[in-house]
Amino acid sequence: MNQPKQPPPEIIMKRMVSGYWISQCLHVIAKLGIAELLTDSPKHCDELAAATNTHSDTLYRVLRALASVGVFAETESRHFRLTPLAECLDGDTPNSVKDLAIMLGEKEHYGPWGELLYSVRTGESAFEHSYGIPFFQYVQENPPTGEAFDRAMTENSDGENKAIAQTYDFSEIKILVDVAGGAGSLIAAILRNNPHLKGILFDLPQVIEKAPPVLKNAGVSGRCQLVGGDFFTSIPAAGDAYLLKHIIHDWDDEKAIAILRNCRRAMGKQGRVLVIEEVILRGNEPAFGKLLDLQMLVMTSGGRERSEGEYRELFKTAGLELTKITPIPAENLSIIEGVIL
């Protein structure tokens, strides 16, 4: 059987350098809710435009462009249907990336990437260069941006949380502390999967105010204590394990070590930390973490993805020994386990 002929390198490169054209089309279509309108059957562009208060011919041109890369399919003149890729833009599907497509296309995320050269020249955050303050301060001071960020992170976490709860053996842990655990979706998934466990959800006071409905819906409210505070100051004691998901990668080495040290101070001699992040591998294979690393460069003040060796060094400096890395391949994540040295 003949293999499909690969396009010449210059054509592939043209597709790469124009990649943001596609991401902006996806952002617009996600924001308009087009995928939800096509759930039941294909529809004409006029009907889609009327439902979204948009210009029919222009909407058609966007959908036609996306159909050319497998997102939507034109079934007959100006009629479009969902494809498996397009279904991911439906906010009601389990594998939705709609909120991520919306967030990454907004000016606060898309704009700083236009300043990547600044970050490459200085090693500093393009977001902070553009907006004058750190990203996490910005989202606190600008509720619409903060809400979009929270929705995208929650959407991204659903599959991850289920995989983490099912992959790691929590049987020897009695009290689990979720450090900076947000509204509690991860600890809720773990407690639901491990009836013997008790939990402590720790985050900024204004963040954990959102947790009670999440814990109640999971049926674990009676087994999870809510504690407000700042992980740079102190972390609740008495836990057998301290969970940090997508936290360490937000910070430079100095601040990451400070967080890990506070976990070490809080836990008993037999305690452990469970850092859940991407682990960067050597080689040239496709790796989402290597691109996410650049997102951390652009958006945060010193955040980065790290290799196993870099995590070992962080742990050692914080008084911990990295003992095990458990990959969660489907989610591009690993559980990085450490104990007191």
Side-chain angles (χ1 to χ4, degrees):
M1 177 181 269
N2 293 330
Q3 294 294 324
K5 187 177 179 181
Q6 281 282 80
E10 66 271 19
I11 298 300
I12 296 174
M13 184 54 68
K14 284 180 180 179
R15 293 173 182 173
M16 287 184 173
V17 299
S18 60
Y20 71 91
W21 298 353
I22 296 173
S23 62
Q24 282 296 298
C25 286
L26 294 171
H27 166 74
V28 167
I29 293 303
K31 205 159 187 180
L32 292 174
I34 296 294
E36 288 88 344
L37 295 173
L38 296 175
T39 300
D40 297 327
S41 63
K43 288 183 174 60
H44 192 281
C45 247
D46 287 349
E47 186 177 351
L48 295 173
T52 57
N53 192 30
T54 54
H55 185 262
S56 179
D57 185 58
T58 305
L59 180 60
Y60 169 71
R61 291 162 67 184
V62 172
L63 289 171
R64 178 179 63 182
L66 288 176
S68 76
V69 293
V71 186
F72 304 105
E74 189 171 6
T75 56
E76 54 182 302
S77 180
R78 295 181 178 259
H79 285 76
F80 289 88
R81 65 169 175 82
L82 294 178
T83 61
L85 284 176
E87 288 173 1
C88 298
L89 296 176
D90 182 344
D92 297 325
T93 62
N95 298 319
S96 174
V97 296
K98 175 181 179 177
D99 287 320
L100 184 65
I102 291 173
M103 181 191 76
L104 291 180
E106 296 288 4
K107 67 181 189 304
E108 293 89 351
H109 281 264
Y110 173 67
W113 268 88
E115 299 292 333
L116 176 60
L117 183 58
Y118 169 83
S119 289
V120 172
R121 282 181 167 153
T122 65
E124 297 177 358
S125 164
F127 180 91
E128 196 163 340
H129 172 66
S130 298
Y131 286 89
I133 57 175
F135 173 70
F136 291 112
Q137 180 182 344
Y138 183 91
V139 297
Q140 288 180 9
E141 295 177 2
N142 294 269
T145 302
E147 289 163 8
F149 178 75
D150 288 345
R151 286 194 300 270
M153 294 303 99
T154 298
E155 175 188 80
N156 188 57
S157 290
D158 290 342
E160 293 178 347
N161 293 346
K162 183 178 180 180
I164 292 163
Q166 294 176 348
T167 299
Y168 189 79
D169 182 6
F170 292 92
S171 60
E172 296 181 3
I173 298 170
K174 295 180 180 179
I175 299 177
L176 178 67
V177 182
D178 191 355
V179 179
S185 60
L186 174 56
I187 199 166
I190 294 171
L191 291 176
R192 190 169 57 241
N193 222 49
N194 295 271
H196 73 283
L197 264 181
K198 291 186 178 180
I200 298 174
L201 178 62
F202 175 71
D203 211 316
L204 296 170
Q206 66 269 27
V207 174
I208 58 171
E209 287 177 357
K210 304 172 184 177
V214 175
L215 300 174
K216 183 178 180 181
N217 289 340
V220 298
S221 297
R223 292 191 285 130
C224 191
Q225 179 184 356
L226 305 181
V227 179
D230 181 348
F231 53 41
F232 287 120
T233 303
S234 66
I235 290 171
D240 300 306
Y242 288 78
L243 191 66
L244 300 112
K245 179 191 170 197
H246 294 325
I247 304 303
I248 297 302
H249 80 158
D250 287 336
W251 306 99
D252 61 24
D253 287 358
E254 181 181 355
K255 290 185 173 67
I257 290 165
I259 297 167
L260 291 170
R261 277 181 175 152
N262 280 340
C263 289
R264 185 190 182 282
R265 292 188 186 103
M267 66 190 191
K269 291 182 180 180
Q270 303 303 314
R272 67 186 91 168
V273 295
L274 304 173
V275 171
I276 302 174
E277 300 285 5
E278 302 250 2
V279 176
I280 300 297
L281 303 176
R282 291 182 178 179
N284 300 315
E285 294 301 312
F288 181 73
K290 293 177 182 179
L291 295 173
L292 180 59
D293 178 55
L294 298 181
Q295 171 76 348
M296 306 314 294
L297 167 68
V298 167
M299 298 299 293
T300 71
S301 302
R304 63 189 304 144
E305 305 305 318
R306 295 176 172 90
S307 66
E308 177 180 341
E310 289 169 324
Y311 275 113
R312 286 192 182 279
E313 191 60 33
L314 278 188
F315 277 39
K316 183 178 178 181
T317 307
L320 299 163
E321 179 185 4
L322 195 160
T323 54
K324 184 168 63 173
I325 295 179
T326 304
I328 309 174
E331 300 296 335
N332 299 310
L333 289 174
S334 291
I335 302 173
I336 310 158
E337 185 172 340
V339 298
I340 293 177
L341 271 171

Coordinates of all heavy atoms in Angstrom, one line a residue, residues 197-239:
L197 N -10.5 7.9 53.4 CA -9.7 9.1 53.5 C -10.5 10.3 54.1 O -11.7 10.4 53.9 CB -9.3 9.6 52.1 CG -7.9 9.2 51.5 CD1 -7.7 9.8 50.2 CD2 -6.8 9.7 52.5
K198 N -9.7 11.1 54.8 CA -10.2 12.4 55.2 C -9.3 13.5 54.5 O -8.1 13.2 54.2 CB -10.2 12.6 56.7 CG -11.2 11.8 57.4 CD -11.2 12.1 58.9 CE -12.2 11.2 59.6 NZ -12.3 11.5 61.1
G199 N -9.9 14.6 54.2 CA -9.1 15.6 53.4 C -9.2 17.0 54.1 O -10.0 17.3 54.9
I200 N -8.1 17.8 53.7 CA -8.1 19.2 54.1 C -7.8 20.0 52.8 O -6.9 19.7 52.1 CB -6.9 19.5 55.1 CG1 -7.2 18.8 56.4 CG2 -6.8 21.0 55.3 CD1 -6.0 18.9 57.4
L201 N -8.8 20.8 52.4 CA -8.6 21.7 51.3 C -8.1 23.0 51.7 O -8.7 23.7 52.5 CB -10.0 21.8 50.6 CG -10.0 22.7 49.3 CD1 -9.0 22.2 48.2 CD2 -11.4 22.9 48.8
F202 N -6.9 23.4 51.2 CA -6.2 24.6 51.6 C -6.0 25.5 50.4 O -5.5 25.1 49.4 CB -4.9 24.2 52.2 CG -4.0 25.4 52.6 CD1 -4.4 26.2 53.7 CD2 -2.9 25.7 51.9 CE1 -3.6 27.3 54.1 CE2 -2.1 26.8 52.3 CZ -2.4 27.6 53.4
D203 N -6.5 26.8 50.6 CA -6.3 27.8 49.5 C -6.5 29.1 50.1 O -6.9 29.3 51.3 CB -7.1 27.5 48.3 CG -6.5 28.0 47.0 OD1 -5.9 29.1 47.0 OD2 -6.5 27.2 46.0
L204 N -6.4 30.2 49.3 CA -6.7 31.5 49.8 C -8.2 31.5 50.2 O -9.0 30.9 49.6 CB -6.5 32.5 48.6 CG -5.0 32.7 48.2 CD1 -5.0 33.5 46.9 CD2 -4.2 33.3 49.3
P205 N -8.5 32.3 51.2 CA -9.9 32.3 51.8 C -10.9 32.6 50.7 O -12.0 32.0 50.7 CB -9.9 33.4 52.8 CG -8.4 33.5 53.3 CD -7.6 33.2 52.1
Q206 N -10.7 33.5 49.8 CA -11.7 33.9 48.8 C -11.8 32.8 47.7 O -12.9 32.7 47.0 CB -11.3 35.2 48.1 CG -10.1 35.2 47.2 CD -8.8 35.6 48.0 OE1 -8.8 35.4 49.2 NE2 -7.9 36.1 47.3
V207 N -10.9 31.9 47.6 CA -10.9 30.8 46.7 C -11.8 29.6 47.2 O -12.6 29.1 46.6 CB -9.5 30.3 46.3 CG1 -9.6 29.1 45.4 CG2 -8.8 31.4 45.6
I208 N -11.5 29.3 48.5 CA -12.2 28.1 49.0 C -13.7 28.4 49.4 O -14.4 27.5 49.7 CB -11.5 27.5 50.3 CG1 -11.3 28.5 51.4 CG2 -10.1 26.9 49.9 CD1 -10.8 27.9 52.7
E209 N -14.0 29.7 49.3 CA -15.5 30.0 49.4 C -16.3 29.3 48.3 O -17.5 29.0 48.5 CB -15.7 31.5 49.3 CG -15.2 32.3 50.5 CD -15.4 33.8 50.3 OE1 -15.8 34.2 49.1 OE2 -15.1 34.6 51.2
K210 N -15.7 28.9 47.2 CA -16.4 28.2 46.1 C -16.5 26.7 46.3 O -17.1 26.0 45.5 CB -15.6 28.5 44.8 CG -15.5 30.0 44.5 CD -14.6 30.2 43.3 CE -14.3 31.7 43.0 NZ -13.4 31.9 41.9
A211 N -15.8 26.2 47.4 CA -15.7 24.7 47.5 C -16.9 24.0 48.0 O -17.2 22.9 47.6 CB -14.5 24.4 48.4
P212 N -17.7 24.6 48.9 CA -18.8 23.8 49.5 C -19.7 23.1 48.5 O -20.0 21.9 48.7 CB -19.5 24.8 50.4 CG -18.4 25.7 50.8 CD -17.6 25.9 49.6
P213 N -20.2 23.8 47.4 CA -21.1 23.1 46.5 C -20.4 21.9 45.8 O -21.0 20.9 45.5 CB -21.5 24.1 45.5 CG -21.2 25.4 46.2 CD -20.0 25.2 47.1
V214 N -19.1 22.1 45.5 CA -18.3 21.0 44.8 C -18.2 19.8 45.7 O -18.5 18.6 45.3 CB -16.9 21.5 44.4 CG1 -16.1 20.4 43.8 CG2 -17.0 22.7 43.4
L215 N -17.9 20.0 47.0 CA -17.7 18.9 47.9 C -19.1 18.2 48.2 O -19.2 17.0 48.3 CB -17.1 19.4 49.2 CG -15.7 20.0 49.1 CD1 -15.2 20.6 50.4 CD2 -14.7 19.0 48.6
K216 N -20.1 19.1 48.3 CA -21.5 18.5 48.6 C -21.9 17.7 47.4 O -22.5 16.6 47.6 CB -22.4 19.7 48.8 CG -23.9 19.2 49.1 CD -24.8 20.4 49.4 CE -26.2 19.9 49.7 NZ -27.1 21.1 50.0
N217 N -21.7 18.1 46.2 CA -22.2 17.4 45.0 C -21.4 16.0 44.9 O -22.0 15.0 44.4 CB -21.9 18.2 43.7 CG -22.9 19.3 43.6 OD1 -24.0 19.4 44.2 ND2 -22.5 20.3 42.8
A218 N -20.2 16.0 45.4 CA -19.5 14.7 45.4 C -19.8 13.8 46.6 O -19.3 12.7 46.6 CB -18.0 15.1 45.4
G219 N -20.6 14.4 47.5 CA -20.9 13.6 48.7 C -19.8 13.4 49.7 O -19.8 12.4 50.4
V220 N -18.9 14.4 49.8 CA -17.7 14.2 50.6 C -17.6 15.4 51.6 O -16.5 15.5 52.3 CB -16.4 14.0 49.8 CG1 -16.5 12.8 49.0 CG2 -16.1 15.3 49.0
S221 N -18.6 16.2 51.7 CA -18.4 17.4 52.6 C -18.0 17.0 54.0 O -17.2 17.7 54.7 CB -19.8 18.1 52.6 OG -20.1 18.6 51.4
G222 N -18.6 15.9 54.6 CA -18.3 15.5 55.9 C -16.9 15.0 56.2 O -16.5 14.9 57.3
R223 N -16.2 14.8 55.1 CA -14.8 14.3 55.2 C -13.7 15.3 54.8 O -12.6 14.9 54.7 CB -14.7 13.0 54.4 CG -15.5 11.8 55.0 CD -15.1 10.5 54.3 NE -15.6 10.4 53.0 CZ -14.9 10.0 51.9 NH1 -13.6 9.8 52.0 NH2 -15.5 9.9 50.7
C224 N -14.1 16.5 54.5 CA -13.1 17.5 54.0 C -13.2 18.8 54.8 O -14.3 19.5 54.8 CB -13.3 17.7 52.5 SG -12.0 18.6 51.8
Q225 N -12.2 19.2 55.5 CA -12.1 20.4 56.2 C -11.6 21.5 55.2 O -10.7 21.3 54.4 CB -11.1 20.3 57.4 CG -11.0 21.5 58.2 CD -9.9 21.3 59.3 OE1 -9.4 20.2 59.5 NE2 -9.6 22.4 60.1
L226 N -12.1 22.7 55.4 CA -11.7 23.9 54.6 C -10.8 24.8 55.4 O -11.2 25.2 56.5 CB -12.9 24.6 54.0 CG -13.9 23.8 53.2 CD1 -15.0 24.8 52.7 CD2 -13.3 23.1 52.0
V227 N -9.7 25.1 54.9 CA -8.7 26.0 55.6 C -8.2 27.1 54.7 O -7.7 26.8 53.6 CB -7.5 25.2 56.2 CG1 -6.6 26.1 56.9 CG2 -8.0 24.1 57.1
G228 N -8.3 28.3 55.1 CA -7.8 29.4 54.3 C -6.5 29.9 54.7 O -6.1 29.8 55.9
G229 N -5.7 30.3 53.8 CA -4.3 30.8 54.1 C -3.5 31.0 52.9 O -4.0 30.9 51.8
D230 N -2.2 31.2 53.1 CA -1.2 31.5 52.0 C -0.1 30.5 52.1 O 0.6 30.4 53.2 CB -0.7 32.9 52.2 CG 0.3 33.3 51.2 OD1 0.8 32.5 50.4 OD2 0.6 34.5 51.1
F231 N 0.2 29.7 51.1 CA 1.2 28.7 51.2 C 2.6 29.2 51.3 O 3.5 28.4 51.6 CB 1.1 27.6 50.0 CG 1.1 28.2 48.6 CD1 1.9 29.2 48.2 CD2 0.2 27.6 47.7 CE1 1.9 29.7 46.9 CE2 0.2 28.0 46.4 CZ 1.0 29.1 46.0
F232 N 2.8 30.5 51.0 CA 4.1 31.0 51.3 C 4.4 31.4 52.8 O 5.5 31.6 53.2 CB 4.3 32.3 50.4 CG 4.5 32.1 49.0 CD1 3.6 32.6 48.0 CD2 5.6 31.3 48.5 CE1 3.8 32.4 46.7 CE2 5.8 31.0 47.2 CZ 4.9 31.6 46.3
T233 N 3.3 31.3 53.5 CA 3.4 31.6 55.0 C 3.4 30.3 55.8 O 4.4 30.1 56.5 CB 2.2 32.5 55.4 OG1 2.2 33.7 54.7 CG2 2.4 32.9 56.9
S234 N 2.4 29.5 55.7 CA 2.4 28.2 56.4 C 1.3 27.4 55.7 O 0.4 27.9 55.0 CB 2.1 28.4 57.9 OG 0.8 28.9 58.0
I235 N 1.4 26.1 56.0 CA 0.5 25.1 55.4 C 0.0 24.2 56.6 O 0.7 23.9 57.5 CB 1.2 24.2 54.4 CG1 1.5 25.1 53.1 CG2 0.4 23.0 54.0 CD1 2.5 24.4 52.1
P236 N -1.3 23.8 56.5 CA -1.9 23.1 57.7 C -1.1 21.8 58.0 O -0.7 21.1 57.1 CB -3.3 22.7 57.2 CG -3.6 23.7 56.2 CD -2.3 24.1 55.5
A237 N -0.9 21.6 59.3 CA -0.1 20.4 59.7 C -1.1 19.2 59.8 O -2.3 19.3 59.5 CB 0.5 20.7 61.1
A238 N -0.5 18.1 60.2 CA -1.3 16.8 60.5 C -1.6 16.0 59.3 O -2.3 15.0 59.4 CB -2.6 17.1 61.3
G239 N -1.2 16.4 58.1 CA -1.5 15.6 56.9 C -0.5 14.4 56.7 O 0.7 14.6 57.1

